[in-house]
Amino acid sequence: QVQLAESGGGLVQPGGSLRLSCAASGSSFSINGMGWYRQAPGKQRELVATITSGDSTNIVDSVKGRFTISRDNAKNTVYLQMNSLKPEDTAVYYCHVNYRRGSYRYESWGQGIQVTVSS
């Protein structure tokens, strides 16, 4: 199992910025797609952004123009740069990766990191 370590969350005022990081660790694996999801209180988990191994990105409309996803393949790390944050961005953010080990494909989820946007 690939382990995911998320960092960078916290409390920020509306209009502020945060950068989430998620580093994957383990042995003998190759990462394909990486992404971020979020879950607000009382709501279902929803997709925020994904990035393929070829750096193609998909960002949901609710955060488009404010959030950017990127990855550093040498570090097996995916980032989510969040600008112009709004109170409705408050949620637990989860990192997700699809990876291969040998001829098998797997997925892994991070434990989640809290992002709170409030004055």
Side-chain angles (χ1 to χ4, degrees), residues 20-32:
L20 303 183
S21 300
C22 173
S25 62
S27 61
S28 304
F29 67 95
S30 176
I31 294 179
N32 296 325

Side-chain angles (χ1 to χ4, degrees), residues 66-101:
R66 300 188 296 121
F67 290 12
T68 303
I69 188 170
S70 61
R71 62 190 284 172
D72 184 334
N73 292 327
K75 296 181 179 179
N76 288 326
T77 298
V78 62
Y79 305 98
L80 185 69
Q81 178 66 45
M82 305 184 292
N83 299 328
S84 302
L85 282 160
K86 303 176 180 180
E88 51 262 43
D89 295 317
T90 295
V92 177
Y93 284 71
Y94 296 90
C95 176
H96 175 265
V97 299
N98 292 304
Y99 65 98
R100 287 179 288 113
R101 179 170 283 141

Side-chain angles (χ1 to χ4, degrees), residues 3 30 36 54 57 59 61 71 75 77 83 91 101 107 119:
Q3 304 297 319
S30 176
W36 291 94
T57 62
I59 300 177
D61 288 344
R71 62 190 284 172
K75 296 181 179 179
T77 298
N83 299 328
R101 179 170 283 141
E107 64 174 355
S119 56

Side-chain angles (χ1 to χ4, degrees), residues 8 34 37 42 71 85 106 117:
M34 309 180 83
Y37 291 71
R71 62 190 284 172
L85 282 160
Y106 303 89
V117 185

